[in-house]
Amino acid sequence: MRLRLSGLSGPFLPSLVLLLNLAPSSAFYLPGVAPTTYAPGDKVPLNVNHVTPGLTNSDTRLHAVLSYGYYHPAFHFCTPPAGATSKSESLGSILFGDRILTSAFELLMGQNETCKVLCEAKKFDMKSAKFVNKRIAQNFNVNLLVDGLPAGQLIQDTATKTEFYSPGFSLGRVGKAGPELNNHYDIVIDYHEVNPTQMRVVAAMVVPRSRADSTMNAEGDQRCGSDSTPAMLAENMDTEVTWTYGVYWRPSKVTWATRWDNYLHVLDPRIHWFSLINSAVIVVFLTGMVGTILLRTLRKDIARYNRLDQVNLDDLTGTSAIDDGVQEDSGWKLVHGDVFRTPSHPLLLSVLLGSGSQLFMMVGTTIIFALLGFLSPSNRGSIGTIVLLLFTVFGFIGGYVSARVYKTFGGEKWKQNIILTPTLIPSVVFAIFFLLNLFIWAKQSSGAVPLTTMIVIVGIWFLITVPLSVLGSWIGFKQTPVQPPVRTNQIPRQIPPSPNYLRPIPSMLLVGILPFGAIFVELYFIMSSIWFSKVYYMFGFLFLCYGLMISTCAAVTILMVYFLLCSENYHWQWRAFFTAGASAGYVFLNALLYWVTKVSLGGLVGNLLYLGYSAVISALFFVLTGTIGFFASWAFVHKIYGSIKID
């Protein structure tokens, strides 16, 4: 993760963009994340993680979403003599599929090993050979961790010609004669010498090779073979494979504090800048339109209405030229007696708004923490852990907002509101997550969340989130409801037919695409990070995109509500929520486009997992953006109707 604190000093977007561009990049580590120092000859830990699907230079499509444990029986990797033991992991790390264990590799600081056999030859039966060959064809990667650093392959960016480490290395490759298993690893480790007796690991790279003639005889003589004879697993007979490795240590001037910089690389940063500039132009344009409405049209309308009140114009039924002008240009005052009428299904709307406020606070706080460097990539799963923690803590916000809105709507089912606010959205998400997890369990994938972890999540939900939400609801119901600036008539006003562009579906399609346009580029990189097991760290761009999305969402929803009120339609509450939330539909369509162009899963389970998780993310995005649009419109409606005189 790169720290760009200087980019926070400017109050305006141009200053932010300029400073983010000029700020030097450096890794940032919290106190307590201390470097490990080794003396020459000390053992350096090399742990193993799950085997994950990835990409190759010749194949840029994802062929699987399920990962497998390193010690899955079909891989026949060598285990330590005393057996592999699990390393402690965070809750977020477990949820994202990390399964870190000890290994049989032996690394001694500063001591090179040109050829070393891990264990006795392993025999691959026909079933295991078919399994491994299929994983090789699907571009699976092996993941090793050296002193907490992912061992990767050296990649060159074709656009900038810079070199960087890509975490993980290929399980094998598909040659002319068939799949070739990489059974020899040349491990190249860079170390920084603090002094002659203190050394620190700053980089780890693996060059995988396929060698069929690697052997170890009865006398212990070890031979690592040659690249001319690749190791290939026969699917019609048993095949013996010997696992070997070499270790090479290189001194480096890179310090421990900046060692992650070699892994965090921006592929073509011009795309990010183009996205930001494009989104900023959209926001400026929309803000200008809203400003025009507020400063010119509305001020003119309000002055006209107040002037007509002063000359005792009793009604606006269209009996004079002045009346016709008022009614035609600014029909929004005509619905002043209905605009604050309680919407249909107020309980459901208030619960969704409470959950949306909870998501809004969670996402914003997570991005800020990540931007300031509190979520270091050295702490695996830290983002997932902080997301769960913040969602739990902000249950108080969700309960308070839901209760306050529901009381303002005049709702009487306060018990149902208190119960549904912390349970409706989380229970639906958890049910889908649990169902998808059953399919992962059935496939014996390491990505399956253990039952104990599921119990922990449910325990956190009921023991922390629910009480905090109930407390927030209790405080919210104790508050006085938000008073509307005008009275509501007893008899609802008849709503005339709306223009086609103000009908629900067309307005959702028109308005929803603009907030999506503010984030679609960053969304692409986030999806690539999730599905291709890459490190995402462009939180400076993400912070700006999130702010632009909020501004765009609020601006376009206010415009839509203004036009809706001018057409004398006062049912704006649900319309504002659904119209702003319609951007989630474009998020799901983008996921479908990604599925068609970047993913080729083949099996039912893989496609089901991809579509299921994409649907959950889109649904949560719908609640989030819908909440932003609603509260922006609510503030707008209160502002304009509080500025006119009503007899």
Side-chain angles (χ1 to χ4, degrees):
M1 182 177 303
R2 300 191 175 187
L3 181 67
R4 301 175 184 271
L5 287 176
S6 57
L8 297 175
S9 60
F12 303 106
L13 180 62
S15 300
L16 281 168
V17 173
L18 179 61
L19 290 173
L20 279 169
N21 191 31
L22 297 178
S25 299
S26 60
F28 179 80
Y29 294 90
L30 291 175
V33 186
T36 303
T37 303
Y38 302 94
D42 284 354
K43 186 175 181 180
V44 178
L46 189 153
N47 298 319
V48 296
N49 203 350
H50 53 177
V51 183
T52 57
L55 302 176
T56 63
N57 293 332
S58 58
D59 188 359
T60 58
R61 294 175 69 91
L62 182 68
H63 295 281
V65 295
L66 295 174
S67 59
Y68 295 93
Y70 182 85
Y71 293 115
H72 189 284
F75 289 122
H76 293 284
F77 287 123
C78 296
T79 57
T85 58
S86 299
K87 308 297 290 185
S88 60
E89 301 175 56
S90 65
L91 183 59
S93 180
I94 296 174
L95 290 177
F96 278 96
D98 285 336
R99 302 293 182 266
I100 303 175
L101 302 103
T102 56
S103 73
F105 292 91
E106 187 177 56
L107 276 60
L108 301 179
M109 173 59 75
Q111 296 184 9
N112 293 336
E113 293 280 358
T114 57
C115 177
K116 196 165 185 178
V117 176
L118 268 174
C119 61
E120 295 181 353
K122 295 287 187 178
K123 183 178 292 186
F124 284 77
D125 55 28
M126 292 181 288
K127 183 178 179 181
S128 297
K130 291 180 180 179
F131 178 87
V132 174
N133 285 339
K134 184 177 181 180
R135 303 290 89 79
I136 293 175
Q138 292 175 332
N139 304 324
F140 267 67
N141 287 334
V142 179
N143 295 279
L144 306 181
L145 299 172
V146 181
D147 191 44
L149 275 178
Q153 297 186 89
L154 189 63
I155 305 294
Q156 185 181 61
D157 189 343
T158 56
T160 60
K161 304 301 180 182
T162 57
E163 294 182 338
F164 64 97
Y165 291 120
S166 176
F169 56 92
S170 57
L171 176 66
R173 70 182 186 91
V174 179
K176 295 180 180 180
E180 301 173 359
L181 175 66
N182 290 326
N183 63 324
H184 177 84
Y185 304 147
D186 282 330
I187 305 172
V188 183
I189 303 175
D190 294 348
Y191 66 93
H192 178 73
E193 185 176 304
V194 181
N195 57 55
T197 60
Q198 293 184 331
M199 303 174 181
R200 295 170 180 171
V201 175
V202 294
M205 178 182 67
V206 174
V207 181
R209 305 180 189 276
S210 181
R211 297 174 175 178
D213 50 351
S214 299
T215 58
M216 182 175 66
N217 57 27
E219 288 75 23
D221 295 332
Q222 302 178 7
R223 183 172 180 270
C224 288
S226 64
D227 297 339
S228 60
T229 309
M232 303 179 67
L233 303 179
E235 298 184 3
N236 56 358
M237 57 182 294
D238 293 347
T239 308
E240 282 195 352
V241 173
T242 301
W243 297 97
T244 60
Y245 70 101
V247 183
Y248 304 92
W249 298 87
R250 303 184 307 188
S252 173
K253 294 183 179 180
V254 176
T255 61
W256 187 89
T258 60
R259 65 179 187 166
W260 276 94
D261 289 359
N262 291 327
Y263 296 85
L264 307 179
H265 177 74
V266 185
L267 291 174
D268 198 356
R270 292 173 299 179
I271 298 176
H272 295 273
W273 292 118
F274 173 78
S275 172
L276 279 177
I277 295 172
N278 179 63
S279 302
V281 169
I282 293 175
V283 169
V284 170
F285 175 73
L286 291 174
T287 305
M289 290 185 64
V290 174
T292 300
I293 290 175
L294 293 176
L295 297 178
R296 294 188 59 185
T297 308
L298 282 175
R299 180 175 294 179
K300 182 180 178 181
D301 293 344
I302 292 169
R304 180 185 301 166
Y305 286 139
N306 292 336
R307 185 171 64 252
L308 292 175
D309 288 337
Q310 292 175 1
V311 297
N312 297 321
L313 191 62
D314 295 328
D315 61 271
L316 299 175
T317 57
T319 57
S320 66
I322 297 178
D323 295 343
D324 291 339
V326 171
Q327 190 171 21
E328 179 182 355
D329 294 339
S330 308
W332 56 270
K333 188 189 177 185
L334 300 179
V335 296
H336 67 84
D338 300 274
V339 71
F340 293 104
R341 192 175 301 280
T342 300
S344 60
H345 309 292
L347 177 61
L348 178 60
L349 180 57
S350 62
V351 169
L352 292 176
L353 292 172
S355 298
S357 302
Q358 190 174 353
L359 288 171
F360 177 80
M361 295 297 298
M362 178 202 74
V363 173
T365 307
T366 301
I367 294 175
I368 292 174
F369 278 2
L371 179 68
L372 297 177
F374 286 91
L375 305 181
S376 168
S378 62
N379 296 327
R380 302 184 67 87
S382 56
I383 291 181
T385 303
I386 199 68
V387 162
L388 287 174
L389 176 64
L390 291 176
F391 186 80
T392 299
V393 172
F394 288 131
F396 175 84
I397 300 294
Y400 177 82
V401 171
S402 177
R404 192 80 188 275
V405 170
Y406 188 61
K407 188 172 184 179
T408 300
F409 286 159
E412 299 178 352
K413 301 177 181 179
W414 59 271
K415 293 182 180 179
Q416 295 183 25
N417 177 269
I418 292 176
I419 295 173
L420 288 176
T421 300
T423 58
L424 180 61
I425 298 296
S427 61
V428 171
V429 173
F430 182 81
I432 297 175
F433 173 74
F434 182 78
L435 180 63
L436 295 176
N437 201 56
L438 291 178
F439 288 97
I440 304 176
W441 271 332
K443 285 292 184 177
Q444 298 181 338
S445 169
S446 65
V449 178
L451 181 61
T452 53
T453 304
M454 304 277 278
I455 295 174
V456 169
I457 294 175
V458 173
I460 293 174
W461 181 15
F462 278 104
L463 297 179
I464 302 178
T465 304
V466 173
L468 285 175
S469 178
V470 171
L471 176 63
S473 297
W474 181 78
I475 296 177
F477 279 118
K478 289 291 184 179
Q479 303 295 315
T480 58
V482 179
Q483 297 296 328
V486 294
R487 294 189 302 270
T488 301
N489 296 334
Q490 294 183 353
I491 301 176
R493 180 186 179 88
Q494 186 175 2
I495 300 175
S498 300
N500 290 331
Y501 70 91
L502 287 180
R503 295 181 183 275
I505 299 300
S507 62
M508 290 170 64
L509 293 176
L510 289 172
V511 174
I513 195 172
L514 294 173
F516 169 75
I519 62 165
F520 80 97
V521 171
E522 288 306 311
L523 185 64
Y524 172 83
F525 288 101
I526 292 174
M527 291 182 65
S528 297
S529 173
I530 293 173
W531 297 113
F532 294 112
S533 302
K534 301 299 181 183
V535 179
Y536 180 86
Y537 71 102
M538 299 302 299
F539 295 108
F541 287 108
L542 186 60
F543 174 76
L544 294 179
C545 285
Y546 187 62
L548 292 173
M549 185 208 70
I550 295 172
S551 303
T552 307
C553 198
V556 295
T557 310
I558 288 174
L559 281 175
M560 190 279 300
V561 168
Y562 172 74
F563 291 132
L564 192 70
L565 295 176
C566 286
S567 67
E568 302 178 32
N569 188 339
Y570 51 84
H571 292 158
W572 62 271
Q573 292 94 338
W574 277 109
R575 289 291 298 275
F577 188 87
F578 274 99
T579 303
S583 55
Y586 289 97
V587 171
F588 188 70
L589 288 177
N590 180 72
L592 293 180
L593 180 63
Y594 194 89
W595 181 47
V596 172
T597 58
K598 296 292 183 181
V599 177
S600 178
L601 301 177
L604 172 65
V605 174
N607 289 302
L608 186 63
L609 290 175
Y610 179 87
L611 295 176
Y613 285 128
S614 298
V616 169
I617 294 173
S618 300
L620 295 177
F621 192 78
F622 168 78
V623 176
L624 171 64
T625 52
T627 301
I628 295 172
F630 175 86
F631 282 113
S633 302
W634 193 357
F636 171 74
V637 171
H638 273 262
K639 179 67 176 178
I640 62 173
Y641 284 97
S643 302
I644 60 175
K645 299 177 182 178
I646 304 295
D647 293 336

